[in-house]
Amino acid sequence: MNVNRDILLFVALAFAWGTSFAAIEVGLASLPPILFAALRFDVAALLFAGAVVALGSPWRPRTREDWALIAVGAVLVVGAHFALLFLGQSYVSSSVSAIVLSLTPIVTPLLALALLPRQRIRAPAAVGLLAGLLGVVVIAVQGGSLDGRAIGVALLFASAASFALGTVLTERFRGTLPIVSLQAWSMAGGAAVLHALSVAHPGESLAAVDPAPAAFAALAYLAVVATGGGFFAYFVLLEHIGATELSLVNYAVPVVATLVGWAALGESITLATVAGFALILLGFALCKIEALWRLAASVTDAGPSRQPAANDEVAVDGNVYVPDEAAERRGTNANTGTSPGSAD
């Protein structure tokens, strides 16, 4: 493992996704929010389709589960998630948007408990969920008034919940498509959903659209850097360092977004916003306390530590691996996956 390379990729990913919120803010100044999101994924879908062709990856869905994964990705992970995200950010600052979206890994276990078999939520995770929700409330009501900020935070919370729901539902299916092909289909379908929502939304009119040059730059940045480059870095890191370590990027992103919003857009950083983020971060730590404990133990050890794992699993350095023969017995498909959390 090239540790320096992985650290650089992690920093690059946090920067790409963190700065995306500032790019959204720039584009929202002259583009309707849902149409802006739709245009982003028009471009991103073309980029991923090109990647499928360049890699020679299988692209035709062959099973019902392939289509189910595409539908979940298009409707929930891309369509609803980004429509609510762009709408929500039209009411709040880029830093607040990034912080509320960091609630996604906290909401996910609760939805998994309700929708997936043999799931349970431990006491620390329950407390973590409450801490995260309290953090969102603190951010929403700062200043003591339930104004447009509260509407924006509510939309962003719904965006996080939509993404978490999509993530949980994909666990119910085992498709055959490689991840790049699955993402290409999901982005194309998601773009279609976003265009339909834009047409149906009473506040968006194509006749009134007069985008500034900065909006085109923001669109290109979001599609090429945040989506294309961000997804590439994400999946490379997922393979190298594992999901637990990579999930920490959700909490580096708001820091980048807050600093960039303050430095480039003149956004203020209030004490309530910092307190709300601290509560969400505490909630994440409580929800992931066992995984973070394993991660800390592996980091402090001098070499790889082989720990006992359930059934056919082997835990090495905090990551759990399933032998090929065990994976085949369980029906595990390594090519199946969802969009990364807060791929904004």
Side-chain angles (χ1 to χ4, degrees):
M1 177 187 299
N2 189 324
V3 176
N4 291 334
R5 179 200 57 199
D6 291 340
I7 291 174
L8 288 174
L9 277 175
F10 186 94
V11 171
L13 178 60
F15 182 82
W17 285 355
T19 52
S20 70
F21 290 92
I24 292 172
E25 197 75 17
V26 170
L28 287 175
S30 59
L31 284 172
I34 303 179
L35 177 61
F36 184 21
L39 293 173
R40 170 185 179 173
F41 282 96
D42 287 339
V43 179
L46 289 174
L47 290 175
F48 270 76
V52 171
V53 173
L55 294 172
S57 300
W59 62 273
R60 293 185 180 181
R62 294 182 294 175
T63 67
R64 290 183 178 181
E65 297 206 341
D66 284 339
W67 287 110
L69 284 167
I70 291 169
V72 169
V75 175
L76 292 174
V77 176
V78 175
H81 169 58
F82 283 96
L84 292 165
L85 166 58
F86 278 56
L87 279 171
Q89 192 168 326
S90 66
Y91 290 91
V92 302
S93 66
S94 61
S95 58
V96 168
S97 181
I99 289 170
V100 177
L101 260 291
S102 70
L103 189 69
T104 303
I106 301 175
V107 177
T108 303
L110 184 64
L111 293 172
L113 177 68
L115 298 174
L116 296 179
R118 297 185 299 280
Q119 297 292 318
R120 59 178 178 172
I121 187 168
R122 299 180 184 274
V127 175
L129 175 63
L130 293 176
L133 293 176
L134 179 59
V136 171
V137 172
V138 168
I139 293 171
V141 302
Q142 59 179 292
S145 61
L146 292 174
D147 53 8
R149 173 185 292 272
I151 296 173
V153 170
L155 289 168
L156 290 164
F157 177 81
S159 174
S162 173
F163 189 94
L165 177 59
T167 300
V168 171
L169 289 178
T170 57
E171 293 297 318
R172 302 168 68 99
F173 306 108
R174 290 291 178 265
T176 64
L177 286 174
I179 190 67
V180 66
S181 301
L182 177 61
Q183 295 301 333
W185 277 101
S186 296
M187 288 180 184
V193 170
L194 287 165
H195 278 293
L197 290 174
S198 177
V199 171
H201 190 270
E204 298 202 1
S205 170
L206 290 176
V209 174
D210 185 21
F216 291 105
L219 177 62
Y221 185 86
L222 287 169
V224 178
V225 178
T227 306
F231 273 52
F232 173 78
Y234 180 91
F235 288 117
V236 171
L237 285 169
L238 186 62
E239 180 180 357
H240 290 171
I241 68 176
T244 299
E245 293 91 330
L246 188 50
S247 66
L248 297 176
V249 78
N250 290 289
Y251 298 92
V253 165
V255 175
V256 174
T258 299
L259 293 175
V260 171
W262 169 74
L265 303 177
E267 296 177 350
S268 60
I269 303 175
T270 67
L271 183 60
T273 299
V274 174
F277 179 56
L279 284 167
I280 293 174
L281 186 59
L282 173 63
F284 170 79
L286 290 170
C287 287
K288 301 289 186 180
I289 190 167
E290 293 181 358
L292 292 174
W293 181 260
R294 291 195 301 269
L295 173 60
S298 69
V299 170
T300 55
D301 286 344
S305 58
R306 184 181 178 98
Q307 304 167 358
N311 300 326
D312 299 299
E313 297 173 348
V314 177
V316 179
D317 281 347
N319 298 316
V320 177
Y321 301 88
V322 182
D324 291 340
E325 61 271 22
E328 291 173 2
R329 289 199 299 274
R330 298 183 196 183
T332 302
N333 183 356
N335 289 330
T336 300
T338 64
S339 300
S342 302
D344 300 304

